Amino acid sequence: MGERGTSPFPVVAPRRGARGRGRGHAVAPAPLSVWRMTSEQTPVVWPLIATSGLPPTGAQMGVDLLSGGAFYCDPIGWVTDDDIPVTNPNVVVFGKPGRGKSATVKAFALRMLGYGYRTLVLGDTKDEYEPLCRALGVEPIAVGHGLPARVNPLDFGPLGHGWDRLPAAEARRREALVFARWIVLLRGLVGSHHVPFGPVEETAVGEALRLLTGYRSGATRLTEVTVPRLWRALDEPPDALITSCRYADRRHFLDATRTLRDALGSLVKGSLAGLFDDRTTIAVDWRAPIQSLSLSRLEPLGDQAVGIALTCLNSWGQAMREIAEPGDLRIVVRDETWRQMRLGTEALKSLDANLRLSRRDADVQVLLAHKPSDMLTAGDATSQAVAIARDLLHLCDVKVLHGQDQAVGEELGDLLGLTPIAQRVVTGWAVAGKGRALWLVGDRAFKVQTVLTGPELDLTYTNEALTAGRPA
Ligand SMILES: Nc1ncnc2c1ncn2[C@@H]1O[C@H](COP(=O)(O)OP(=O)(O)OP(=O)(O)O)[C@@H](O)[C@H]1O
Ligand SMILES: [Mg+2]
């Protein structure tokens, strides 16, 4: 405290600035306009001015350019913190190609390792997660024609273990979970052929699965089903199936399920053949820090085949997570999500179902796509597909927006509710550098530059094809 009568703040500079050439003296002081408002109103008048920081927990991603501090990403921590407006730990990453979406996700996965998170890459369509896996001492699993790795999307998963010893109530609970997942998968697969999957199809498939697994006959040991077996059961229906679906005769059954059988048949002979049509042959080590399924070999088969592969892996990955131990924290990465979305409304629904489970399973689901409207290309632009896609965006409370072209700006406003100023950050500032992104955490925005270390730059390098053959 200063002496009586003296100000605690000594005058450093006079009000009009120090006198003298070049010292900032102003004869007339600049007119100040006075504004009075509450702290609630200021962000409206001055949007994108540093929001209150997030707690420094989780992966340190880089620099928050609005506050000048470090930016940390901790989706599950954010969900459990009531002060942060985030209710699910799902992350969606958008950005035009080459702006650093995948690199940001890889750095995130790597940095979360120290906090006990393991990573599962559900479909690496460019094999670009392989260097990261190898650096962590894990050999990625390659899926493709002629390779030994098979994944059965109709796998029981851990829910089928010790079925014969389960009390009846637990068996019923597990049955409900397993069958619900299968129906979601088959709906997605059949829907990808633009074939409706209504109550008739659902009953037929459900009954056939119960019959094939032995659940209907009360078997203590359930039999694993594959998509070709299911198709054959529907194509040459046993009498028990016809009666349990309440059809008068075989002809009646065959007529009612024709489109379903044709769709499954073409999947069995086409996209799924030799990849997803037999028992799972891979033994995934769930204690490993990262697991990845490389799919680049499917690339020549086209977008639809890749989309179907992603849908199958999706279902299988979910099965593997069904009885997660408490504290088994996972980051589930779905790179190139848009390919799955292209398959249509039903594929969208199956993704949607996964995202809704993330709170239960303590998973951080990370989706990567180029732009929000990729989510809307689900076949026809029926209002239902669009509604689900919009919903899907709401299921991801954390959005990372890397650079976008001007043309996408409006879409960001329309689909994500981005203000014009925030849109300009994405279409202007973020385009100008790799790893720059606007991070939306609930309704808070952060302008973040992801910083990669030297070794991370090597592990995330994806320009080999562009620079190969060029002199160093
Ligand atoms: N923050 C960063 N700092 C420096 N380099 C970066 C950064 N982020 C990404 N890169 C580099 O930029 C290149 C492209 O990044 P990345 O593969 O992540 O792009 P992408 O957005 O996933 O592209 P695509 O849509 O084609 O998958 C990589 O070689 C990567 O190492
Ligand atoms: Mg990428």
Side-chain angles (χ1 to χ4, degrees), residues 161-422:
H161 291 174
W163 191 272
D164 45 343
R165 280 171 275 116
L166 289 180
E170 176 64 9
R172 262 198 304 281
R173 190 185 74 86
R174 292 194 179 188
E175 179 238 345
L177 283 174
V178 172
F179 281 81
R181 174 169 61 77
W182 287 345
I183 293 289
V184 168
L185 166 75
L186 289 162
R187 176 179 282 149
L189 291 180
V190 170
S192 70
H193 280 62
H194 303 288
V195 166
F197 194 91
V200 171
E201 287 76 14
E202 188 168 331
T203 310
V205 165
E207 285 303 320
L209 286 171
R210 285 182 171 81
L211 207 67
L212 290 170
T213 50
Y215 183 81
R216 200 33 99 223
S217 51
T220 49
R221 196 168 267 277
L222 298 184
T223 316
E224 189 173 326
V225 189
T226 58
V227 181
R229 276 199 68 200
L230 172 68
W231 171 65
R232 268 197 302 279
L234 292 167
D235 216 38
E236 293 154 20
D239 291 338
L241 181 58
I242 298 169
T243 39
S244 64
C245 294
R246 290 173 283 110
Y247 287 99
D249 53 29
R250 177 173 303 263
R251 188 74 268 143
H252 192 189
F253 178 93
L254 290 176
D255 286 342
T257 59
R258 182 173 307 280
T259 49
L260 169 68
R261 287 181 295 116
D262 288 350
L264 278 177
S266 67
L267 279 166
V268 168
K269 289 174 219 141
S271 317
L272 299 183
L275 298 170
F276 299 99
D277 58 355
D278 210 344
R279 285 165 168 267
T280 306
T281 57
I282 49 175
V284 175
D285 173 11
W286 294 103
R287 314 307 301 169
I290 188 168
Q291 285 294 354
S292 174
L293 293 139
S294 301
L295 294 182
S296 74
R297 290 160 193 82
L298 303 188
E299 198 65 30
L301 304 180
D303 268 355
Q304 203 202 16
V306 176
I308 285 174
L310 290 174
T311 308
C312 290
L313 286 183
N314 209 356
S315 176
W316 176 81
Q318 196 194 329
M320 296 305 146
R321 293 292 293 146
E322 255 154 7
I323 328 186
E325 289 161 27
D328 179 5
L329 301 163
R330 296 270 164 184
I331 298 167
V332 180
V333 180
R334 297 158 204 275
D335 211 328
E336 311 264 316
T337 314
W338 55 273
R339 291 177 186 248
Q340 198 186 333
M341 309 229 166
R342 290 256 163 100
L343 292 183
T345 319
E346 301 302 342
L348 269 179
K349 280 189 195 158
S350 79
L351 192 61
D352 185 274
N354 284 149
L355 294 186
R356 285 176 200 277
L357 292 175
S358 65
R359 272 178 68 92
R360 184 198 73 184
D361 299 342
D363 282 348
V364 178
Q365 307 264 354
V366 186
L367 309 184
L368 289 91
H370 290 168
K371 53 187 195 299
S373 61
D374 283 341
M375 310 266 197
L376 307 184
T377 49
D380 45 0
T382 54
S383 51
Q384 195 198 10
V386 174
I388 298 172
R390 280 177 190 263
D391 237 24
L392 209 68
L393 291 175
H394 294 307
L395 286 175
C396 299
D397 270 350
V398 182
K399 301 182 182 77
V400 184
L401 309 174
H402 285 85
Q404 296 283 6
D405 289 332
Q406 290 293 341
V408 183
E410 226 159 83
E411 171 181 306
L412 295 173
D414 182 32
L415 288 169
L416 303 182
L418 227 56
T419 60
I421 292 181

Side-chain angles (χ1 to χ4, degrees), residues 60-115:
Q60 187 175 10
M61 295 306 298
V63 186
D64 172 358
L65 291 170
L66 292 173
S67 72
F71 182 82
Y72 293 82
C73 177
D74 183 13
I76 292 189
W78 292 340
V79 174
T80 51
D81 185 339
D82 283 343
D83 291 337
I84 300 169
V86 162
T87 58
N88 62 62
N90 302 326
V91 182
V92 62
V93 186
F94 290 118
K96 61 184 281 193
R99 287 296 78 191
K101 297 182 295 294
S102 305
T104 299
V105 172
K106 288 170 199 162
F108 171 65
L110 204 53
R111 294 170 190 182
M112 286 307 255
L113 264 179
Y115 299 92

Side-chain angles (χ1 to χ4, degrees), residues 95-104 106 126 128 335-336 368 370 402 434-436 449-452 456-463:
K96 61 184 281 193
R99 287 296 78 191
K101 297 182 295 294
S102 305
T104 299
K106 288 170 199 162
K126 298 185 204 154
E128 53 171 314
D335 211 328
E336 311 264 316
L368 289 91
H370 290 168
H402 285 85
K434 284 180 180 168
R436 288 185 178 188
Q449 166 75 62
T450 299
V451 180
L452 300 180
E456 281 171 340
L457 270 175
D458 293 339
L459 290 179
T460 59
Y461 190 72
T462 53
N463 294 341

